Amino acid sequence: MRGVVPSAGGQDGQKYAFFTDRPNVSHKKVIFADMELNVIQVREVTGPLLDAFARLMPQLAPQLAAPSAARLREIVASPGTALFAAEGGGRIWGLLTLVWYDVASGRKAWIEDVVVDAEARGTGAGRALVAAALEHAGAIGAGKVLLTSNPAREAARALYRKMGFEEAATTVFAIKTDAK
């Protein structure tokens, strides 16, 4: 590996490191149990990535289907989106999407679609994914990172709090459009 740059770690006290041993790919590494976990920013859509989405999206919400290869290519190519994957032992264990936009009050970022395989929960995969997203958000100048989390997802909400997120004194409103 080359270009190892240790970071100061998150508010959770965990140490992370960025690596650049693949061209145009930055990622974080966390050691857990007997496996090394690397969090990479996805730059291309591959068969294993498509397989991971097919396996993980229903774990996020049973009604969710995996996006098509074409849709994932659009996401990966979007200038306002970074897709992160936690991989280890030849498998993708988790996914996270970071999106950002500019408004009059500054650049904001949202963490979306965080999912870690049920077999890997509690291993540090989610923590590593969120840490990578926060690091990226800082690097692109986002002044605030937001996310939503279902109250039933107690472990995820505890993780977000440990990593420094606080519940905002606001309400998120949503409405469905005719767009698919």
Side-chain angles (χ1 to χ4, degrees), residues 46-58 66 72 91-92 95:
T46 63
L49 182 68
L50 293 169
D51 293 344
F53 268 98
R55 187 179 78 255
L56 295 172
M57 292 306 286
L72 283 174
R91 185 173 182 182
I92 295 175
L95 298 162

Side-chain angles (χ1 to χ4, degrees), residues 88-145:
R91 185 173 182 182
I92 295 175
W93 294 98
L95 298 162
L96 176 150
T97 306
L98 178 73
V99 296
W100 59 91
Y101 56 93
D102 295 310
V103 291
S105 58
R107 178 167 283 182
K108 294 181 173 85
W110 279 86
I111 291 175
E112 294 280 350
D113 296 341
V114 181
V115 59
V116 173
D117 193 298
E119 294 177 34
R121 291 183 189 152
T123 63
R127 180 185 317 272
L129 284 163
V130 173
L134 293 175
E135 188 93 20
H136 191 81
I140 54 113
K144 185 183 283 190
V145 177

Side-chain angles (χ1 to χ4, degrees), residues 14-167:
Q14 176 71 43
K15 298 284 185 187
Y16 302 97
F18 270 110
F19 293 82
T20 55
D21 59 352
R22 291 191 217 167
N24 301 316
V25 177
S26 64
H27 60 276
K28 291 181 171 269
K29 176 179 91 169
V30 172
I31 307 293
F32 64 89
D34 297 327
M35 190 183 327
E36 179 177 294
L37 172 75
N38 291 299
V39 174
I40 64 164
Q41 183 177 348
V42 175
R43 306 280 189 195
E44 67 178 297
V45 176
T46 63
L49 182 68
L50 293 169
D51 293 344
F53 268 98
R55 187 179 78 255
L56 295 172
M57 292 306 286
Q59 291 184 46
L60 181 61
Q63 74 277 10
L64 292 178
S68 68
R71 182 69 187 124
L72 283 174
R73 282 192 290 277
E74 290 173 357
I75 292 167
V76 169
S78 172
T81 304
L83 175 61
F84 294 94
E87 57 180 21
R91 185 173 182 182
I92 295 175
W93 294 98
L95 298 162
L96 176 150
T97 306
L98 178 73
V99 296
W100 59 91
Y101 56 93
D102 295 310
V103 291
S105 58
R107 178 167 283 182
K108 294 181 173 85
W110 279 86
I111 291 175
E112 294 280 350
D113 296 341
V114 181
V115 59
V116 173
D117 193 298
E119 294 177 34
R121 291 183 189 152
T123 63
R127 180 185 317 272
L129 284 163
V130 173
L134 293 175
E135 188 93 20
H136 191 81
I140 54 113
K144 185 183 283 190
V145 177
L146 303 111
L147 58 81
T148 61
S149 184
N150 187 313
R153 297 184 66 217
E154 293 176 14
R157 293 168 64 89
L159 169 65
Y160 301 143
R161 285 186 189 98
K162 284 181 189 174
M163 295 191 74
F165 284 89
E166 298 175 357
E167 287 192 44

